[in-house]
Amino acid sequence: GQSLEQPSEVTAVEGAIVQINCTYQTSGFYGLSWYQQHDGGAPTFLSYNALDGLEETGRFSSFLSRSDSYGYLLLQELQMKDSASYFCAVRDYQEDKIIFGKGTRLHILP
Amino acid sequence: EAGVTQSPTHLIKTRGQQATLRCSPISGHTSVYWYQQALGLGLQFLLWYDEGEERNRGNFPPRFSGRQFPNYSSELNVNALELEDSALYLCASSPGTGGVYEQYFGPGTRLTVT
């Protein structure tokens, strides 16, 4: 079967660093994407990893280990505006569909 | 460049009725995806259209259907509405059949079934 697992909630302090993990199980795998969704808003694309390693985009970084079927999103210098839900997503090329995790709600404390 | 647009913003229907939701992708994008986001359940893949053809569908009953028009806009139809169909319906587009890299989402249609 296909599944993506990520924590339902994570809490961190403003200015700190937080890591949101995602493990996946799919028939086929192209790459791992991350999306951010604020309350009442639409998901917006953050990053994509097709190869093992770390991709950095400003305060956000994303990591992938294909051998471990695992990835994470790293958010640095947390700001209050980072309070949102974060979704990981994969495309299963054998099932030919895109699968999203259930999302991680990030709470940031002042 | 205009983003993905969806209409209507809100839709209220009664059980047993039909709902039609519309989506216009970003200019140049040929793939359109539909997702259902019910409270606390994340994004559930509904349908994927590319170049006018249904590419794949998620684990939803046949009363969820749709189509893609020659201008790549898309329509989602939900027949025989049930209370549990109440959710936010999101449309996304991407250039080509990939969608592997990134999808651009519209603001969604909030469907309420009473």
Side-chain angles (χ1 to χ4, degrees), chain A residues 2 30-35 37 40-45 47-48 50 87 89 91 95-103, chain B residues 33 35 37 40-45 48 55-59 88 90 97-108:
Chain A
Q2 310 148 340
Y30 270 133
L32 183 70
S33 300
W34 288 93
Y35 289 80
Q37 185 179 29
T44 56
F45 173 80
S47 68
Y48 173 76
F87 296 88
R91 181 178 171 194
E95 295 289 328
D96 203 19
K97 59 177 65 173
I98 297 166
I99 307 160
F100 278 78
K102 292 188 176 182
Chain B
Y33 310 81
Y35 295 90
Q37 188 173 32
L41 291 183
L43 282 78
Q44 303 295 313
F45 169 69
W48 175 8
R55 181 74 178 258
N56 207 344
R57 64 181 293 128
N59 298 323
L88 180 67
L90 291 162
T97 58
V100 179
Y101 302 101
E102 58 186 290
Q103 298 182 353
Y104 298 83
F105 283 83

Side-chain angles (χ1 to χ4, degrees), chain A residues 11-12 17 22-23 30 32 36-37 44 47 56 60 64-65 81 83 86 91 93-94 96 104 107-108:
Chain A
T11 300
I17 299 173
C22 175
T23 57
Y30 270 133
L32 183 70
Q36 178 193 60
Q37 185 179 29
T44 56
S47 68
E56 299 183 56
F60 293 4
L64 176 66
S65 169
K81 67 178 182 180
S83 294
Y86 293 84
R91 181 178 171 194
Y93 65 80
Q94 290 204 11
D96 203 19
T104 298
H107 303 278
I108 300 177

